[in-house]
Amino acid sequence: SHLGTQVIAACALINVSKVLTYVMGMSILFAVGVVAAQRFGAKDYSTIGAIFQQAILLSTIISLIIGLCFYYMDTILASLGQEKILMPAIKQFFHTAIWGILPEFLLVICQQTCFAIKKQRLVITCNIITFIFYLPVAYVFIHGIKLPHTATLFAGITFHSLGVKGLAYAFIFSSTFNLLILLCVMKSKKSFARYQLFSLHRHKGLQHVRKLAHIGWPMCVQFTGEVLIFTIIGLLIGQYGEDSLAAFQVVVQWQGLCIVPIFGISDAVSIIVGHAAGAKKLNDLNPILNATLILVGGLAAVVLLIYVSIPTLLAEIYGVPKSATQTLDLITVFFQYASIGLFLDALRDNIIGALRGLHDTQFAMW
């Protein structure tokens, strides 16, 4: 946001486009967690390794398709009537970000596998380590830095600002660094040995790819449909100029931050339900869902209060100056509507998560 209103506006379009295309691919790979979770509940551990390996093949195919979308993203957005002045920044971002698609999708597979086998603490640890390194790297890539001559090492070295292109490089660094840490631990720790993640499996008929696709495609349609609505809203707001897009971007970033824990609980309930279903403990299902709804309902209520009570402060934290009165007025209105939507989505998405644990994804799609 410190690079100017035009950059915030470009990032608003980048954000909705990136989320839409990533969700199209990632939502299929979320099937890895629920499929592996039922095998874990049934104590069929070696099959998890075969699922893991075939998921890597599936992610490679998906990455090629998403990469094609990234390459032509500026052309697509321009043809949809978005401001041409924003297109150079958008092209820079997506042409660079292509190289981060496969690492990001492979990371999803590793994380979903860890969730399924109750290794979620490992995922959290890797994320924290990555975040610590990501902050300074992202700053240098986006804003650049000139080291003082008094520095002990690399004195006087200058890293030039890469702007929006630097943001893409930061994302690539984050996903690749996180993936490498996670893979090293999964390869070296003895507790992973029984899953045979890195052993040679027979992949005749690619039955697990078919299973993942069967469960994943309704999830892809469902998630893509939801995000497509969100993307269309962003494109329509883009017709009203930079102030509207800047306001939309601020709210989208806070909304994304608040959605993450709620979505995480939704993902968790699908794994827990999958464990219970695999172990034939069907009486546990209703208590799991009830507890989840109480938890996410409480979280959403807290977010609603924050959105409604301090919208201007949230905007100022993001970097919007008090002098931008039109942008701040729009942000206040956007937050009010976003709070209601978040509360309803939180309850719905966790019911969907429970169904996903039972491999029922088509009901949610319809």
Side-chain angles (χ1 to χ4, degrees), residues 243-317:
D243 285 330
S244 299
L245 270 177
F248 182 67
Q249 170 67 356
V250 172
V251 177
V252 163
Q253 290 300 296
W254 282 108
Q255 186 82 331
L257 185 64
C258 296
I259 285 172
V260 167
I262 292 171
F263 183 80
I265 295 169
S266 171
D267 201 24
V269 74
S270 68
I271 299 295
I272 296 168
V273 167
H275 289 160
K280 309 298 181 184
K281 296 179 180 179
L282 303 184
N283 291 333
D284 292 349
L285 300 183
N286 279 340
I288 291 170
L289 179 59
N290 292 338
T292 304
L293 292 176
I294 292 170
L295 180 59
V296 296
L299 282 173
V302 171
V303 173
L304 188 151
L305 289 173
I306 293 172
Y307 278 2
V308 173
S309 59
I310 53 169
T312 303
L313 178 59
L314 295 176
E316 290 174 358
I317 291 172

Side-chain angles (χ1 to χ4, degrees), residues 21 61-74 76 94-95 98 101:
T21 48
I61 297 170
I62 294 171
S63 296
L64 293 172
I65 298 170
I66 301 301
L68 197 62
C69 295
F70 272 30
Y71 189 81
Y72 292 105
M73 189 60 72
D74 60 312
I76 294 169
F94 280 107
H95 280 207
I98 286 175
I101 297 171

Side-chain angles (χ1 to χ4, degrees), residues 52-98:
F52 174 79
Q53 292 177 10
Q54 292 192 25
I56 291 174
L57 173 62
L58 183 61
S59 72
T60 304
I61 297 170
I62 294 171
S63 296
L64 293 172
I65 298 170
I66 301 301
L68 197 62
C69 295
F70 272 30
Y71 189 81
Y72 292 105
M73 189 60 72
D74 60 312
T75 305
I76 294 169
L77 290 173
S79 67
L80 293 172
Q82 300 306 303
E83 293 188 19
K84 291 184 178 179
I85 196 172
L86 304 177
M87 293 307 123
I90 290 170
K91 182 176 182 178
Q92 277 188 354
F93 176 88
F94 280 107
H95 280 207
T96 305
I98 286 175

Side-chain angles (χ1 to χ4, degrees), residues 45-54 195-198 201 203:
Y45 299 128
S46 62
T47 302
I48 294 174
I51 295 169
F52 174 79
Q53 292 177 10
Q54 292 192 25
Y195 306 111
Q196 300 179 26
L197 300 178
F198 302 98
H201 292 266
H203 297 294

